[in-house]
Amino acid sequence: MHEDLGFEKLLSEDGFFAHLLGRSPSGAGRDPLYGPDLPVVLLTGGPGMGKGRLLHTVRDHFATKVPVVRLDCGSPVYAHRAGPEPGARSSATEALVEMARRLCTWQGTGGSFAFPRLFAGLAVIATGAAEGTPAAVATEVERYEELPQKRRLPGLRTGDFWKGVISGSLQNLLTAMAGQALDPYSAAVGNALLEALFQSLAPRGMVELERVYGGYPGAAGQPMHGLSNLAADFQARGEARELAEGFLFRALREDLEAAYASASGWLRRVGRPALLLDHAESSLGERLLRAVLTDRRGGQRDRVVIVGTARRADGGAFLHGGLPPEEVASPAEFRPSDCGPPEWSRRLGGGSERAPLADGVLLLRMPFLTGDQLRRETERRQTRGEPEGGANRRRIDAAVARLSGGRPHTVIRLADAAAAFRMSADANDRDLLEAPLRLPGDSATERPVADVLLQELLMDQLPVGLPTEHRGEWLDLLTHLSVAHDEECADVLLRHHQSGHVNRLTAHQVSKLLTDTGWPSCERHFVGDFGLRQMLVHRLYGLRPDGAAWYADHHLLRDHYAEAAADGRPPDSGAFGSVIAHRMNHHLVSGGTADVADHLAATLPGRPREWCAELLEIAQAPYPGGADARRERAQGLVTPEGPALRRTVDQLLHAVWLCEERTRPTGQETARTLAKLLELLSIMEFDGAGQLGKVATYWSGLAANEQPLLRCACTEQLGRRG
């Protein structure tokens, strides 16, 4: 797949990122968007939507023209680096050091960057080194020795007023404290380091430290107090450490701003620097985003472009100050298909300090692939010389479109697996999920594409808040929940499959975890993403021989709703109009088609309108694996038993089921079948029969255009993306 697939408008010479960075990919200047109060841009979309791919592509397109650093906040490397000295390092400080080191080697227009302000803060927290000796602290400070000094360019005087910071600080510290044994974070070590640091500064450097660290909480304008407080907060851990880490991130951005705002920077530097935070929904990513958003809400201004990723559609719960969803004011947003990025300005609301962090965010909705893009991607992978005039390719296109919903990563995996795959015109889309796929770089191993996608979309992107004890069973739980419709239905399955567990997940918790991971919701399906649900349903049928796991789950739910109907309980959600319909739905897909047809035939007379709604609810179900005789049954090629009304209802049930499953073409043939059966019913001798003539016209029109008869959030999304 082309790296810029779906992102062409965003990455063009006059696109969003060119104006956000003030520079086009070719190096031409562009009028910058927004500023001086810049929004944090969050790329929103669930697994497989290409957030990380877009950040990679932005870096590749622009990093030779403006300073661009991409950081993977979900990587364990920063925590591993912090591990040896937990009192002097954290994953956040290691990430900041990584950013600074990369920018220290920038060789584009304007040259490399120096980070003396950041260095000062890192130096004082180095006093938390475990041994607490001057040598241990000096060793820790030496890790940052390249940060405060700008790399010299041949023949160019830099006028660097931070000269001598490292050598002077360490030499004075070692001289003053030689031979003393000190506890971790001894006040004497900290004071000696601060004195050495300030003694080495030129007047301009002192002014800068006063401006930056004099503003630290409790410093009262005194930079030594500010640095001491920062070190103490870092040692205190918890929220105090997060405050210190956030201030260090501010110091890094202050260093970048100074490089642009100086007289030489104004003449030599172009565009805006950018920090790209992949997997920003992680704990580290959220801390960095929270820090910059809090600073900017409080009035701190810099020209650093911050682009992060967010799985949740609202950007993340931390942005909204704990408000319930109905009270949340949506952040500004746009989609690549829009004419242009929106106007953006900060909403101050009841005062900037109390405003939600979401006011400082601009959401960029990651695009689903259009039908044309999807067809191009599948077509260019198909083998040459297809039989039947390309009928297989068209069938493959349709299956990829429905199973992926336009989700880019799913498209590419399915299209690769389908390159030499053949599907009959009447095949179920889920047949494609068994197509073998060999991943790039693995020439020996082939796996069914469904297994690859479930690993990549679910297990490789576990919810951030998923408790550790449930990580190993997450895929299995979701597999069973693929047949659930609402939270009550899901809780029945969870109680059964977690029996014996001390700590169990509830349906509400699972639903929240899915939302937090970026999966959409649907009022009629607990797993609200159509393509993901089909992969899970496919896996459920194959868990045990002959679909035993499938039938067991449906029988469990059938029996639960049979008891609920006997007790006269109303439905628990809007997925079904009655618990009887809910029971019949699970009975239908677990071998009870004859019973369902009997029920429908008996309840039709006198209530055609309500009956049609119930029929659609019952038939909104996937078909189990194995041979599929629904089309033959719908067309009367397999003759059902009973009188004319019952036989016609049986045929209609199978025709509607074909339409509602959404995993095979319906088209004109099924539309004609629907119309014929409903018209037959409309002329039978029972109360209200004549009303079914209008239904025949309406339903057949939808089926002819491959539209669902019963709409819900996931089928609406499927229709829009196709």
Side-chain angles (χ1 to χ4, degrees), residues 284-590:
L284 169 59
E286 183 176 316
R287 294 204 304 276
L288 295 175
L289 290 177
R290 188 188 296 274
V292 68
L293 286 166
T294 301
D295 280 346
R296 290 180 179 178
R297 180 179 63 183
Q300 192 265 347
R301 300 289 177 258
D302 59 72
R303 74 190 71 203
V304 182
V305 170
I306 308 290
V307 182
T309 61
R311 293 177 176 179
R312 283 177 57 115
D314 62 5
F318 78 98
L319 298 174
H320 305 289
L323 293 174
E326 61 271 14
E327 296 182 24
V328 167
S330 298
E333 66 174 72
F334 80 104
R335 300 176 185 275
S337 57
D338 295 343
C339 294
E343 297 292 328
W344 183 89
S345 61
R346 186 179 299 276
R347 293 191 299 255
L348 296 182
S352 61
E353 293 303 319
R354 296 192 301 274
L357 296 179
D359 285 0
V361 165
L362 175 62
L363 302 181
L364 195 170
R365 303 292 190 195
M366 297 300 293
F368 292 95
L369 298 187
T370 65
D372 287 342
Q373 289 172 326
L374 190 150
R375 281 187 288 275
R376 285 197 298 270
E377 284 303 302
T378 55
E379 182 177 358
R380 71 188 186 89
R381 287 171 170 78
Q382 294 297 292
T383 56
R384 300 295 181 186
E386 290 190 341
E388 304 171 18
N392 176 70
R393 185 184 61 76
R394 291 192 295 273
R395 185 65 189 89
I396 290 287
D397 286 350
V400 172
R402 279 192 287 264
L403 292 174
S404 71
R407 195 174 292 270
H409 185 77
T410 309
V411 169
I412 187 60
R413 290 291 188 239
L414 290 174
D416 278 341
F421 195 74
R422 292 292 177 264
M423 291 182 72
S424 65
D426 195 42
N428 191 299
D429 293 346
R430 289 196 299 273
D431 294 345
L432 178 59
L433 297 175
E434 280 298 315
L437 177 67
R438 181 179 289 113
L439 293 177
D442 186 354
S443 59
T445 305
E446 282 188 339
R447 289 190 292 160
V449 64
D451 292 353
V452 173
L453 283 168
L454 288 172
Q455 178 66 40
E456 293 175 334
L457 298 179
L458 285 182
M459 299 308 292
D460 292 348
Q461 303 192 55
L462 292 170
V464 173
L466 180 65
T468 303
E469 62 267 29
H470 296 295
R471 295 189 167 224
E473 64 177 351
W474 182 242
L475 176 57
D476 284 339
L477 288 179
L478 288 184
T479 298
H480 292 293
L481 291 175
S482 64
V483 301
H485 296 93
D486 52 29
E487 287 196 1
E488 179 188 1
C489 193
D491 268 325
V492 172
L493 291 163
L494 286 170
R495 283 193 297 269
H496 177 77
H497 290 289
Q498 296 180 106
S499 60
H501 291 209
V502 176
N503 297 312
R504 296 187 304 181
L505 288 172
T506 66
H508 175 73
Q509 290 171 320
V510 173
S511 179
K512 183 178 182 300
L513 289 169
L514 288 171
T515 298
D516 289 345
T517 312
W519 293 108
S521 60
C522 177
E523 68 277 17
R524 294 188 179 277
H525 302 92
F526 186 80
V527 177
D529 184 84
F530 182 85
L532 175 62
R533 189 167 67 251
Q534 299 308 314
M535 286 184 269
L536 293 170
V537 162
H538 176 77
R539 182 174 186 268
L540 176 62
Y541 192 83
L543 275 183
R544 289 161 55 190
D546 300 320
W550 162 285
Y551 289 108
D553 282 342
H554 282 293
H555 288 161
L556 178 70
L557 294 170
R558 177 200 64 188
D559 295 344
H560 171 80
Y561 287 105
E563 293 177 9
D567 293 340
R569 285 184 13 218
D572 191 55
S573 71
F576 292 89
S578 70
V579 292
I580 294 176
H582 202 159
R583 176 174 72 89
M584 288 294 174
N585 172 278
H586 294 290
H587 195 30
L588 173 68
V589 298
S590 58

Side-chain angles (χ1 to χ4, degrees), residues 249-279:
F249 192 17
R250 179 192 296 187
L252 181 147
R253 299 194 314 276
E254 290 269 11
D255 282 321
L256 287 174
E257 180 64 20
Y260 280 82
S262 66
S264 61
W266 183 80
L267 291 172
R268 298 171 52 231
R269 296 195 183 275
V270 296
R272 290 169 171 162
L275 302 176
L276 312 179
L277 307 180
D278 201 358
H279 298 108

